[in-house]
Amino acid sequence: MVRRGPSTQGHCRVARVSLPTVGRWKTRYAERGLAGLEGDRPGGPREQVPARVRARVIALTRMTPPDGTGLSHWSTRELAKYLTRAENITVSWHYIARI
């Protein structure tokens, strides 16, 4: 059988994605047709952090840590630990670093 049209690598170049991504697209298309290419992103839903929490993180980064912490400045990890321990706010240090 002779294939017509762009190669898988050609699709990668055009879409600017990796070879495994195109492979997943082809598999989903073969299994479900166009419906397999639409809809939800793979993986779990992305959780949004409330604006109140974001504002609190920003406010704390502008303050010196409380005396009882023994810190001279905040690190992302220490700020995440402090928020969990003192204010019952759970965010990752990755999130704090992105702000």
Side-chain angles (χ1 to χ4, degrees), residues 46-68:
R46 305 315 186 256
E47 196 171 307
Q48 298 295 317
V49 175
R52 177 186 62 81
V53 172
R54 178 180 167 81
R56 184 62 182 142
V57 169
I58 291 170
L60 282 172
T61 61
R62 294 179 178 164
M63 297 179 198
T64 304
D67 292 332

Side-chain angles (χ1 to χ4, degrees), residues 7-46:
S7 66
T8 301
Q9 289 181 345
H11 291 302
C12 292
R13 281 192 296 278
V14 170
R16 295 183 182 192
V17 295
S18 68
L19 196 57
T21 298
V22 172
R24 283 191 296 273
W25 290 349
K26 286 181 162 187
T27 300
R28 290 190 343 234
Y29 180 78
E31 291 171 353
R32 295 178 301 218
L34 286 177
L37 300 178
E38 298 173 344
D40 298 334
R41 290 176 45 188
R46 305 315 186 256

Side-chain angles (χ1 to χ4, degrees), residues 50-84:
R52 177 186 62 81
V53 172
R54 178 180 167 81
R56 184 62 182 142
V57 169
I58 291 170
L60 282 172
T61 61
R62 294 179 178 164
M63 297 179 198
T64 304
D67 292 332
T69 61
L71 301 171
S72 61
H73 61 279
W74 290 115
S75 70
T76 55
R77 287 178 174 88
E78 288 298 330
L79 183 51
K81 288 178 197 173
Y82 175 80
L83 284 167
T84 302

